[in-house]
Amino acid sequence: MSLDLPQVAPAVTAELVQGLTPRLRKRLDAGITKLAGRPSVRDGDTVRIAVDDDTHLELHAPGGTVTTTDAIRCGCLLAPDCLHRAAAASAAPIADSEPEPGCGSGSGSGSGSQSMPDAVPASVGEDAPASANEPISASTRSASPAESDTLTPDQRAAAQAMYDAAAAVLEAGADGAGAVLQAELLRAAHTARISGLPRIAASAVSVVTQLRAARCADPAYRLTDLTATLREVLGTAHRLPGSTGPELAALRGTARQPYSPDGSLRLYGLFSEPVLTATGYAGAVTWASDAEGRLHTVSDVVPGGPGRAVGAADRAVRIGDTALTHRELSRAGLAVSGATVSPTGRLGAGAGVRAVRASGAAWREDPLAGLWALPVADQVSRALTGGDGLLFLDVILTGTVREAAGDCLLADCDGLTLRLAAAHDHPALLYRDNLRLLAAAPGTRLRVVARLDPSPLPRALLLAADHPRDPGAHLDLGLDRLQHADLPAPAMAPVGSPPAPDEAPLHLLRRRVHQAASAGRRVLAFPGDSATDSRRLGRYGFACAGGLLDELRSAAADRSRDVFGRLVPADVNRFAHAWLAAAHYTEEVDRSLCAAAWGADPALSPSPSP
C-alpha cells in the first residue's frame, strides 16, 4: 500500500468487514486497490483520504493506533456501513499490543527463515516494550484463569473458530485469501486473545500480514514463512482441545513474558543484529554473554521499516542509565544490578534496574572464547532442542555455491563442508554485500557467529565474523560494511565446485505443501498422476511421505455431486488435516536430516555450556 495509514486493531477490521452487505464484500478487494491510489494527508493523529472530489475518509489514531470503529469516519451516503471504512481498515497495518513475530515462526528474517522465521530471534518481540518490563511474580501468574490445567469452554470455542478460519485461508491459498477471509482470521485472532490464547492469536495476525504482503507483491514476502506460520496456526488449534498441563500452557503462550530477578550481572557484548520482519517490525538486538557462557539480549524492536532497522543500532540501549548504543554495547561490557531476565534471556528495563558501562572482551579472550570451545554437534543439538539457534564456529572459507535464492559461502568447519548464507536479503541491510566480499577471499580463517538454518545440508545464516585482518575486532555483518582493504590476500583453496549431494527427494512433498499455501486446494486438484512421485519417495525409504502425498492429492480432488449433479462443497476439514500432516512431517524430517548432516543428536541434551 502506498498510503501512510496508522495501525488498526484486528477487532476493528473484523467488525467493519462483518458489517458489509454480501454485495459490498465481493467488491472489498477492488475497493482496497482503488483506495491505494487516492491522495492522503496526515495531520497529527489523523489521516484524511480523498475518496473522490466530494467525499473524504478520516482515520483517528490517538497514540498511533485505531482502536474503535468510530475512529474511522466517511462522508459518503452509505456511511457508516460503507465500503470505504472497511477498505481503509483492511489496507492499514495490523496493530498488535505485543509484537510477537517469533511465535512459531520459525528467524526468519531473510533467506529462508531466521531460525524462526521471517525469522526473528526468539528474544525479539516476545513481550511489551522493554521500558514496561517488570518482574511478574509466580502468584500473579497462577491467579490468571488462563493458567488452569484444562481448556475453558471459551478457549475451546476460540480454538475451533481459529481452525475453521485458517482452514478457509488454506482452501483459498494466498492468491484467493482476500480481505474478507483475512478479516475472519483477524476476528478469530481477537477472540483467541481475549480468551487467553495469545500464542495462536499472534501467529494468526502474522499470517494475515504475510497474506497481504503476498497479494501486493512485497519483496519481503517469503512463501516458506507463510507456510510455516500457517502450519503453526492450524497445528496449535488442532492440538489445543486435547492438551493438558505443561503442554497446554506452552500452546496457550503468554501475552507478556515473565521477568524474574537475577541479581547482579557482568555482561560482555558479542554482536548486534538488525531486525526487519515481514510482519512490520524493525530495530536491533544486541547479544551479550556472562562469565558462565549464558546468553542475554537487549532489544529495541517496534513497528517500523528498513530505516529503523539500520538506525536502531545507533540508539542508546534501554536499560538502566547507560548511554551505550547497541553498536557500542556489542564491543563493550555492561554491569547490571537488580537485573530482571525473561526465560529466553532478554533483559528487562524496569525502574529498579541499574546498568553502567564496563570493559568488554574480544572473541578470542576469556570468557567469550569459551563459546567457541563447545563441540559443533553439541551446539546444533542445543539449537534443535529449543535453544537460541546460535552457532559459534571456526571456519576456513573455501568458495561459493549457487542456490535458488542466490550464492552462498562454502566453508570448512572442522572437516564439515558448511554453507553460510545471508541472514536477510533486504538491500538496506549489509549482509549480502558483505558475503560477496568474503567470497573473494577463499582460504581466509574466520571465527563467526551464525544461526542454524535447519536443512538436509549443513547450513547457517551468517550474523557476525571477526575482522579478517584484525582478530581482536569483529564485524556485525548486517550493520558494518566490509571493505576490499579489509580482506587478506587470497590463500590457496580447493579448485572446482563441490560434488552435488545425493539428497532425499523430500521436495516432492514439500513443494505440494508450499503450492497449497500459495494457490489453495484447487492447484492440487488438477488431474494428474502422483503415483510416480510416491513411488520415488518410497524407493528412498520415505513410504510415509508417499502416503501423505497421495492423501493430500486425494483430499484436494475429493468433490462429490448431489442427486442433481451439482458439486457439493469440498471437505475443507479433510484437506486441512492432510495438509497439516504433510507440513508437520516435512518439518520433522528436515530437523532429523539437519541433525544427521551436522553429526548431532537432537534427542540428547547438549553438553553444558562453557
Side-chain angles (χ1 to χ4, degrees), residues 13-63:
T13 304
E15 184 175 347
L16 290 175
V17 174
Q18 183 70 24
L20 295 177
T21 63
R23 180 179 65 87
L24 289 180
R25 287 192 183 191
K26 294 178 180 179
R27 297 170 51 191
L28 181 56
D29 290 316
I32 295 172
T33 303
K34 181 178 179 181
L35 197 67
R38 303 305 302 169
S40 63
V41 177
R42 179 180 286 272
D43 181 13
D45 292 333
T46 301
V47 175
R48 295 182 178 85
I49 305 172
V51 177
D52 54 41
D53 293 340
D54 301 318
T55 305
H56 288 78
L57 182 69
E58 291 187 350
L59 289 83
H60 299 272

Side-chain angles (χ1 to χ4, degrees), residues 268 270 359-372 447 471-473:
Y268 300 84
L270 267 171
S359 60
W363 284 2
R364 298 178 185 273
E365 301 172 354
D366 290 332
L368 297 185
L371 296 170
W372 279 263
R447 175 161 282 191

Side-chain angles (χ1 to χ4, degrees), residues 107-473:
S107 172
S109 265
S111 62
S113 133
Q114 205 183 9
S115 131
M116 300 101 195
D118 172 44
V120 191
S123 59
V124 178
E126 304 167 322
D127 33 39
S131 59
N133 294 333
E134 295 289 353
I136 301 176
S137 66
S139 59
T140 302
R141 293 195 300 272
S142 62
S144 171
E147 296 297 324
S148 60
D149 291 335
T150 58
L151 213 61
T152 66
D154 287 345
Q155 290 174 338
R156 190 176 297 275
Q160 184 60 50
M162 181 67 74
Y163 188 91
D164 294 341
V169 167
L170 177 63
E171 169 82 4
D175 295 344
V180 174
L181 286 179
Q182 294 171 24
E184 291 300 320
L185 196 54
L186 290 178
R187 176 180 292 277
H190 174 67
T191 303
R193 186 177 294 280
I194 62 177
S195 65
L197 301 174
R199 171 178 170 176
I200 196 173
S203 296
V205 170
S206 180
V207 168
V208 175
T209 302
Q210 293 178 57
L211 288 173
R212 293 181 179 181
R215 293 175 61 83
C216 69
D218 189 333
Y221 166 71
R222 296 290 182 273
L223 177 58
T224 53
D225 294 341
L226 172 62
T227 303
T229 313
L230 186 57
R231 182 198 60 78
E232 160 76 10
V233 172
L234 281 170
T236 303
H238 175 72
R239 292 170 58 194
L240 272 167
S243 300
T244 58
E247 181 187 9
L248 178 58
L251 292 176
R252 281 174 171 148
T254 54
R256 186 178 182 187
Q257 284 285 310
Y259 281 70
S260 58
D262 202 12
S264 298
L265 293 174
R266 176 65 169 89
L267 302 177
Y268 300 84
L270 267 171
F271 72 98
S272 288
E273 61 175 317
V275 174
L276 181 60
T277 77
T279 51
Y281 289 88
V285 174
T286 298
W287 294 78
S289 172
D290 62 16
E292 287 73 40
R294 295 184 303 166
L295 298 182
H296 298 76
T297 59
V298 180
S299 64
D300 181 7
V301 180
V302 297
R308 195 182 192 286
V310 175
D314 294 314
R315 293 173 177 264
V317 297
R318 296 185 295 175
I319 177 170
D321 297 325
T322 179
L324 283 172
T325 66
H326 284 271
R327 195 187 301 270
E328 292 170 339
L329 178 57
S330 70
R331 294 163 174 82
L334 201 64
V336 186
S337 62
T340 58
V341 183
S342 78
T344 56
R346 180 175 173 180
L347 294 175
V353 179
R354 298 289 182 267
V356 295
R357 180 171 185 158
S359 60
W363 284 2
R364 298 178 185 273
E365 301 172 354
D366 290 332
L368 297 185
L371 296 170
W372 279 263
L374 187 68
V376 174
D378 286 354
Q379 295 188 48
V380 173
S381 294
R382 179 181 60 193
L384 291 174
T385 52
D388 48 50
L390 295 185
L391 302 178
F392 301 90
L393 310 171
D394 288 302
V395 302
I396 302 174
L397 303 183
T398 59
T400 60
V401 64
R402 182 169 295 279
E403 295 183 341
D407 291 346
C408 67
L409 282 174
L410 282 177
D412 178 83
C413 179
D414 196 21
L416 186 70
T417 300
L418 169 65
R419 299 182 180 210
L420 295 172
H424 204 294
D425 286 334
H426 198 284
L429 307 181
L430 300 178
Y431 288 117
R432 193 156 291 282
D433 290 344
N434 286 331
L435 245 68
R436 290 193 189 100
L437 278 177
L438 289 174
T444 303
R445 294 178 178 270
L446 289 177
R447 175 161 282 191
V448 304
V449 180
R451 179 169 285 115
L452 179 66
D453 184 13
S455 69
L457 297 174
R459 193 173 188 275
L461 306 178
L462 193 56
L463 300 170
D466 57 11
H467 197 285
R469 287 187 177 274
D470 182 6

Side-chain angles (χ1 to χ4, degrees), residues 71-97:
I72 303 180
R73 305 169 188 169
C74 183
C76 73
L77 296 177
L78 293 179
D81 297 325
C82 64
L83 179 69
H84 305 129
R85 299 173 72 218
S90 300
I94 304 171
D96 191 3
S97 57

